[in-house]
Amino acid sequence: MQRPPSSAPSLVFAIPEYRDMQAQLCAAGHEPGELHIDTFPDGERYMRIASEVDGRDVVLLGGTISDAATLTVFDLGCALVRCGARRLTLIVPYYGYATMERAVHPGEVVTAKTRAALLSAIPSASYGNRILLLDLHAEGIPHYFEGGLTAFHVYAKPVLRDVITRLGGPDFVLACTDAGRAKWVESLANDVGVTAAFVFKRRLSGDHTEVSALDAQVQGKRVVIYDDMIRTGGSLVGAARAYQRAGATSLAAVATHALLPGDSLAKLQRSGLFTDIVCTDSHPRARELAPQGLEVAAIGHLFLPYL
């Protein structure tokens, strides 16, 4: 449940990778919190909270984009409560290991759940702790958080609808990269008022898949492909080629989370399949790649109703 806005603005801290989004929240009237973070030669970190937090509603902004970032969020969250934060709200625009939400083979670690347990271990502020998560890969992940930490699943639909409608033009089909996202894409297509299309794929190995079937009427249509996450883009390229073979006249790609390590974006661009590739700034890698032709939509404002 969102709480009514209080008379006092929240004090917003951010791990270094999310300072751009911190500025988005503070531009709406919230107050920036100051952190001092340094790294010793041996890799250990020095951190100090330089703003007075006692009795304040405090926000800590940081995606769990790496193991180091996750521990930074945990360490700072614990310290903010110990320093007297009245309420602690964690904003995690990108939740790492979200695809490891269940065990398929014996002995597999359900890392999405163990990371939730770690963040749930942050001591509770006097008015409680909350975590805001964006466009999770699996709807059940919020139930992994426990104790005094209440999880909220925030959706990027308001931003995505505008992007998809603009890219699609007057007549297009909204498509997905695999049947696993079918319900989400169908819901988004209904919101936009267009037809949804799906492909079915089978996994050949850990990092290779192939399209095995296609359920779509895309002949003579522009196709906008949506996925919650683009990693290296292999699944996206496979789906795009299937839609192209089925008669799509042009294709664009939209994702909430863009990881795109190494030269993944360049490979997508060199494929010649996409007129546009658009993502949100939920992961800091997106801002890094914006000068290389990745279009980035801001999503910080989606968290404001909760602050």
Side-chain angles (χ1 to χ4, degrees), residues 94-302:
Y94 174 76
Y95 185 67
Y97 293 103
T99 59
M100 297 184 183
E101 86 286 4
R102 68 187 189 281
V104 177
H105 303 291
E108 286 185 333
V109 177
V110 183
T111 318
K113 189 169 185 177
T114 59
R115 295 306 163 94
L118 176 68
L119 296 178
S120 297
I122 295 173
S124 182
S126 58
Y127 276 65
N129 296 356
R130 301 177 299 170
I131 184 168
L132 309 181
L133 305 146
L134 182 76
D135 279 9
L136 291 166
H137 184 76
E139 292 282 349
I141 288 175
H143 300 287
Y144 291 163
F145 297 89
E146 53 193 25
L149 183 59
T150 304
F152 297 88
H153 194 173
V154 180
Y155 296 94
K157 268 189 176 185
V159 172
L160 297 172
R161 277 196 301 261
D162 292 344
V163 169
I164 289 167
T165 301
R166 173 174 57 82
L167 292 180
D171 186 23
F172 71 99
V173 172
L174 183 62
C176 63
T177 58
D178 65 72
R181 302 302 291 172
K183 288 185 178 179
W184 175 250
V185 168
E186 185 174 26
S187 172
L188 195 53
N190 288 337
D191 288 350
V192 177
V194 299
T195 302
F198 315 105
V199 294
F200 302 87
K201 68 182 182 183
R202 59 183 178 184
R203 184 163 297 279
L204 303 178
S205 66
D207 57 356
H208 287 88
T209 60
E210 71 173 10
V211 173
S212 58
L214 186 148
D215 178 13
Q217 296 294 326
V218 300
Q219 179 71 40
K221 299 278 191 178
R222 176 163 171 77
V223 173
V224 178
I225 303 174
Y226 170 76
D227 203 355
D228 64 311
M229 181 191 312
I230 303 176
R231 281 180 165 152
T232 60
S235 294
L236 176 60
V237 167
R241 286 178 175 152
Y243 291 123
Q244 189 179 61
R245 288 193 297 268
T249 57
S250 62
L251 301 114
V254 178
T256 301
H257 311 294
L259 282 65
L260 297 171
D263 64 346
S264 299
L265 175 62
K267 288 181 178 178
L268 289 175
Q269 293 167 331
R270 288 196 300 267
S271 73
L273 291 165
F274 308 101
T275 60
D276 306 88
I277 303 173
V278 185
C279 67
T280 79
D281 60 352
S282 66
H283 194 291
R285 180 64 171 160
R287 291 290 178 196
E288 293 176 17
L289 293 173
Q292 300 178 34
L294 181 67
E295 185 180 338
V296 182
I299 49 85
H301 63 282
L302 297 176

Side-chain angles (χ1 to χ4, degrees), residues 38-81:
D38 293 306
T39 303
F40 294 111
D42 64 358
E44 292 187 351
R45 296 158 301 157
Y46 167 84
M47 294 186 287
R48 183 171 73 87
I49 298 164
S51 301
E52 178 58 55
V53 304
D54 190 32
R56 297 289 302 272
D57 284 5
V58 174
V59 174
L60 176 57
L61 172 59
T64 55
I65 56 175
S66 66
D67 291 349
T70 302
L71 286 176
T72 299
V73 170
F74 175 77
D75 292 340
L76 288 172
C78 292
L80 288 166
V81 172

